[in-house]
Amino acid sequence: MRLEVERRTFRLARALETSYGEVAERELAIVALSDAGGVDGYGEAAPLPSYDGPDIETVVAALSRYEDVVARWDGEAGVQ
């Protein structure tokens, strides 16, 4: 199993007004999982530090720490 994490910034079609200010774009961590059989899965982590969440660097670093764990996973419950 392979884990890939990519940072992407997306501009909103229309800025969102919030109590914390305007949000015009979002920076995301795009997550891809691929197995040897060619099965792919995709997801995202969308931190929003202005709402007291972690920043994108913290999220990407946390996800990247799992690359070795995911690489050892054999598809069964638990990691070998």
Side-chain angles (χ1 to χ4, degrees):
M1 181 72 67
R2 188 175 73 199
L3 167 70
E4 295 179 60
V5 180
E6 177 185 352
R7 284 175 66 165
R8 301 275 310 267
T9 301
F10 294 95
R11 179 164 294 284
L12 301 177
R14 185 172 38 206
L16 176 64
E17 291 294 332
T18 73
S19 62
Y20 292 93
E22 183 179 88
V23 177
E25 61 184 29
R26 293 293 310 274
E27 192 167 17
L28 308 177
I30 306 299
V31 179
L33 292 171
S34 305
D35 72 6
V39 176
D40 296 322
Y42 300 94
E44 68 181 41
L48 194 55
S50 61
Y51 287 98
D52 201 24
D55 59 27
I56 189 71
E57 289 81 13
T58 301
V59 171
V60 169
L63 289 168
S64 296
R65 283 194 294 272
Y66 284 95
E67 288 177 358
D68 291 336
V69 173
V70 170
R72 293 192 314 268
W73 187 52
D74 63 3
E76 299 296 322
V79 175
Q80 302 300 316

